[in-house]
């Protein structure tokens, strides 16, 4: 396929299931997603690369805001925040387990009616840690 600014990469092999054993038929949120021991070793050795990939695929960094009344006057406060959203509880668990491993504090919301689970990173120290390792989304 040719398009300006686009590169198409195609790969075929009978060995893809060996390299990506999580792949399978049906929606990912309806099947078990777990890392093989050799994959977990890679994540343990390079947790920030794993987190960066998850944020860049299913997450974002935003500027959140709130208002507080100070001296009777409402003031607007803005602060950076990361979100990660996925319908697979297994993928969310892989994300949050890795956040725990690198010392990032997070909160999860209850699943929405759509099944999506949001994970929020909003504490100043944790956002700074994410900023130092994740970088801008491309």
């Amino acid at each position: 396929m040719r398009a300006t600014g686009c590169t198409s990469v195609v790969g075929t092999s009978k060995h893809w299931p060996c390299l990506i054993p999580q792949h399978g038929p049906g929606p990912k949120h309806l099947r078990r997603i777990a890392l093989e021991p050799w994959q977990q070793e890679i994540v343990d050795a390079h947790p920030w690369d794993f987190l960066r990939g998850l944020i860049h695929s299913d997450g974002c960094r935003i500027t959140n805001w709130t208002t507080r009344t100070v001296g009777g006057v409402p003031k607007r406060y803005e602060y950076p925040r990361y979100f990660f959203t996925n319908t697979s509880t297994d993928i969310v668990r892989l994300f949050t387990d890795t956040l725990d491993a690198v010392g990032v504090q997070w909160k999860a919301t209850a699943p929405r009616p759509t099944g999506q689970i949001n994970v929020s990173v909003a504490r100043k120290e944790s956002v700074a840690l994410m900023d130092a390792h994740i970088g801008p989304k491309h």
Side-chain angles (χ1 to χ4, degrees), residues 28-73:
K28 66 181 183 263
H29 68 282
L30 297 178
R31 65 178 186 271
R32 183 174 174 268
I33 304 291
L35 298 179
E36 294 294 326
W38 65 268
Q39 293 172 312
Q40 188 63 56
E41 286 178 22
I42 294 169
V43 171
D44 292 344
H46 306 280
W48 288 109
D49 293 322
F50 183 66
L51 291 170
R52 183 181 307 111
L54 289 171
I55 288 291
H56 286 200
S57 66
D58 293 328
C60 66
R61 183 188 187 277
I62 64 163
T63 300
N64 206 29
W65 64 272
T66 188
T67 57
R68 290 190 183 157
T69 303
V70 178
V73 178

Side-chain angles (χ1 to χ4, degrees), residues 16-119:
W16 281 123
C18 300
L19 297 172
I20 310 170
Q22 296 79 13
H23 182 69
K28 66 181 183 263
H29 68 282
L30 297 178
R31 65 178 186 271
R32 183 174 174 268
I33 304 291
L35 298 179
E36 294 294 326
W38 65 268
Q39 293 172 312
Q40 188 63 56
E41 286 178 22
I42 294 169
V43 171
D44 292 344
H46 306 280
W48 288 109
D49 293 322
F50 183 66
L51 291 170
R52 183 181 307 111
L54 289 171
I55 288 291
H56 286 200
S57 66
D58 293 328
C60 66
R61 183 188 187 277
I62 64 163
T63 300
N64 206 29
W65 64 272
T66 188
T67 57
R68 290 190 183 157
T69 303
V70 178
V73 178
K75 287 187 140 191
R76 179 179 167 127
Y77 291 93
E78 295 184 346
Y79 58 97
R81 183 179 202 168
Y82 282 87
F83 279 111
F84 176 77
T85 303
N86 206 292
T87 55
S88 168
T89 55
D90 289 341
I91 292 172
V92 171
R93 182 185 42 77
L94 291 169
F95 180 70
T96 57
D97 285 353
T98 308
L99 289 176
D100 289 342
V102 296
V104 170
Q105 295 180 340
W106 56 271
K107 289 186 179 182
T109 62
R112 295 179 175 182
T114 58
Q116 291 179 321
I117 301 167
N118 283 329
V119 175

